[in-house]
């Protein structure tokens, strides 16, 4: 076996981290660029449904908290674009792939945030699902991705709390507020479950991801963890999860749950969800409108570089 491959296999075997200057197989590099760039796009596109509520937040406090959360998401996107850049792809190239529809972002952000309770459901369920996934990714084999996840997870816990707090207020509020909280749960439950991706048997990337320790747990294992953790929280809120087949399985020590609508999932992933077009159009417009910021930054960098020489 080639000595480079051997060194790489040794790093994975000993559970160390692969660093940007280490040799790595092309397939490992490509796999990571795909996953990390999609993760970065998800953080950035994910700002849109919440941003939609910034000017309508019901109090100054809730507006401040939401603003801080959305800014965190922008920061997460930046860490992740930087991680992908260490693998040899430029940010401009990643954004081009997003705008051309070649790069994906999480399906969940193609659903609309229709009411203030949806902001609660997003923090509680969407960030809650993201934490389960990202806690696992803290131990991913690529060093910069792993370290980025450790930092991101600290902030995600605050995001999940802010969402749960909104749900708690609404679930204990007026009958109308309670109804809004239940309605948000009804609409966001299944899309949140779908965030974990297809079942393991239908997941083409899981095999290599597990072999290379990019993923430490499979899509189904993480989905199950999320469900087991979230059901008692819904009970605490006095809300009903919209799944008649959800029930505790004593033998398994976890919940059984109903059939996921994979047709809906793939339609959303392929660009035909309720807001896919709106999300992408908005990103492309913002990117164009803000071209002057990039040009000014580049001109400033070129000028200061000239002065330093
Ligand atoms: N949506 O072989 P599979 C946040 C694709 S943002 C769309 O299982 P893999 C937040 C998948 O890419 C954080 N596409 O793939 C921000 C693949 O297609 P390609 C979001 C999906 O990579 C703002 C194909 O289906 N978290 O927290 O092994 C506000 C087959 O799937 C989805 C991340 O991005 C999906 N849900 O596993 C609030 C986590 N699922 O690429 C909150 C990082 C699957 O071959 N990503 N696909 O064309 C991952 O952990 C993994 O990539 C996934 C999928 C678990 C998502």
């Amino acid at each position: 076996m080639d000595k480079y491959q051997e060194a790489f296999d040794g790093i994975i075997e000993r559970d160390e981290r692969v660093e940007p200057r280490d040799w790595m197989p092309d397939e490992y590099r490509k796999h990571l660029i795909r996953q990390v760039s999609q993760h970065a796009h998800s953080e950035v596109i994910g700002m849109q449904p919440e941003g939609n509520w910034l000017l309508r937040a019901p109090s100054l406090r809730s507006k401040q908290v939401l603003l801080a959360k959305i800014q965190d998401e922008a920061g997460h996107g930046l860490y992740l674009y930087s991680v992908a850049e260490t693998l040899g792809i430029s940010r401009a190239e990643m954004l081009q792939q997003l705008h051309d529809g070649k790069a994906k972002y999480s399906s969940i952000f193609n659903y609309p945030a229709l009411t203030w309770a949806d902001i609660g459901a997003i923090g509680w369920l969407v960030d809650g699902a993201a934490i389960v996934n990202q806690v696992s990714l803290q131990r991913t084999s690529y060093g910069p991705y792993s370290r980025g996840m450790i930092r991101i997870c600290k902030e995600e816990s605050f995001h999940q709390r802010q969402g749960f707090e909104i749900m708690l207020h609404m679930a204990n509020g007026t009958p109308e507020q309670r109804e809004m909280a239940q309605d948000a749960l009804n609409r966001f439950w299944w899309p949140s479950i779908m965030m974990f991706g297809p079942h393991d048997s239908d997941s083409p990337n899981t095999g290599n991801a597990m072999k290379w320790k990019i993923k430490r747990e499979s899509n189904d294992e993480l989905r199950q963890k999320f469900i087991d953790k979230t059901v008692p929280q819904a009970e605490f809120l006095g809300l009903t999860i919209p799944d008649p087949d959800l029930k505790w399985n004593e033998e398994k020590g976890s919940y059984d749950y109903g059939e996921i609508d994979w047709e809906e999932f793939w339609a959303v992933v392929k660009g035909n969800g309720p807001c896919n077009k709106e999300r992408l159009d908005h990103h492309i417009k913002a990117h164009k409108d803000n071209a002057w910021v990039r040009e000014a930054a580049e001109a400033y960098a070129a000028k200061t570089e000239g002065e330093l020489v």
Side-chain angles (χ1 to χ4, degrees):
M1 195 199 292
D2 152 319
K3 68 175 182 188
Y4 292 108
Q5 180 73 46
E6 215 170 300
F8 173 82
D9 291 345
I11 295 175
I12 302 293
E13 174 91 35
R14 291 187 301 276
D15 219 347
E16 292 168 5
R17 297 289 170 266
V18 178
E19 295 299 335
R21 286 188 187 147
D22 292 332
W23 181 90
M24 59 189 90
D26 271 355
E27 290 303 309
Y28 176 84
R29 188 184 294 278
K30 273 196 218 137
H31 190 116
L32 271 169
I33 290 177
R34 176 193 63 85
Q35 178 167 328
V36 176
S37 68
Q38 293 184 172
H39 195 161
H41 297 325
S42 303
E43 299 282 355
V44 171
I45 297 278
M47 294 161 72
Q48 291 187 35
E50 293 177 305
N52 184 34
W53 277 90
L54 265 181
L55 297 180
R56 291 179 285 168
S59 68
L60 182 58
R61 179 182 178 274
S62 57
K63 181 171 175 157
Q64 280 176 317
V65 174
L66 184 61
L67 186 59
K69 178 193 189 295
I70 296 172
Q71 285 175 338
D72 283 350
E73 308 297 0
H76 297 175
L78 296 183
Y79 305 155
L80 287 159
Y81 284 127
S82 301
V83 169
E85 281 175 320
T86 67
L87 290 157
I89 184 167
S90 72
R91 197 171 304 191
E93 218 178 316
M94 287 184 268
L95 290 173
Q96 197 57 53
Q97 290 174 354
L98 174 69
H99 293 168
D100 292 345
K102 287 185 192 146
K104 298 185 166 77
Y105 58 86
S106 184
S107 47
I108 190 76
F109 303 115
N110 293 307
Y111 291 86
L114 301 175
T115 70
W116 177 249
D118 288 12
I119 298 303
I122 291 174
W124 173 39
L125 300 174
V126 177
D127 285 271
I131 294 173
V132 170
N133 176 281
Q134 293 174 151
V135 162
S136 186
L137 285 173
Q138 287 178 337
R139 292 192 304 119
T140 192
S141 58
Y142 188 56
Y145 194 22
S146 158
R147 291 188 288 275
M149 283 299 111
I150 293 169
R151 187 157 173 180
I152 287 175
C153 280
K154 292 203 168 88
E155 293 173 349
E156 296 288 20
S157 324
F158 145 64
H159 298 171
Q160 198 267 354
R161 293 298 302 176
Q162 71 89 35
F164 190 77
E165 189 192 70
I166 294 173
M167 293 304 275
L168 193 59
H169 275 137
M170 298 199 72
N172 291 302
T174 62
E176 288 81 2
Q177 285 174 316
R178 193 176 173 71
E179 210 173 292
M180 280 166 74
Q182 181 61 55
D183 175 57
L185 172 57
N186 291 348
R187 285 179 292 104
F188 274 91
W189 176 254
W190 289 105
S192 302
I193 298 296
M194 292 175 193
M195 274 177 80
F196 295 92
H199 281 314
D200 297 349
S201 50
D202 299 320
S203 159
N205 298 300
T206 294
N208 275 341
M210 299 294 261
K211 179 178 85 181
W212 289 321
K213 299 184 180 168
I214 291 174
K215 271 184 180 176
R216 296 298 190 135
E217 288 161 286
S218 72
N219 298 359
D220 284 326
E221 284 165 347
L222 293 171
R223 187 174 3 252
Q224 187 70 56
K225 265 193 185 174
F226 170 71
I227 293 172
D228 292 346
K229 181 175 121 156
T230 310
V231 173
Q233 295 171 0
E235 281 166 3
F236 183 82
L237 292 171
L239 299 176
T240 307
I241 290 184
D243 178 358
D245 296 324
L246 187 76
K247 65 169 182 302
W248 179 251
N249 182 327
E250 193 62 49
E251 217 171 286
K252 246 182 27 174
S254 63
Y255 283 91
D256 288 334
Y257 55 93
E259 244 337 273
I260 295 170
D261 183 347
W262 293 113
E263 242 172 69
E264 175 180 325
F265 171 76
W266 289 114
V268 176
V269 169
K270 288 182 182 149
N272 301 317
C275 302
N276 293 62
K277 187 172 172 344
E278 183 184 328
R279 300 291 184 241
L280 209 51
D281 285 353
H282 183 82
H283 194 282
I284 293 171
K285 183 177 183 307
H287 191 70
K288 279 195 188 137
D289 288 351
N290 296 319
W292 68 271
V293 178
R294 290 189 297 280
E295 282 157 19
E298 274 161 23
Y300 180 74
K303 181 174 176 289
T304 43
E305 210 171 282
E307 281 167 7
L308 287 174
V309 169

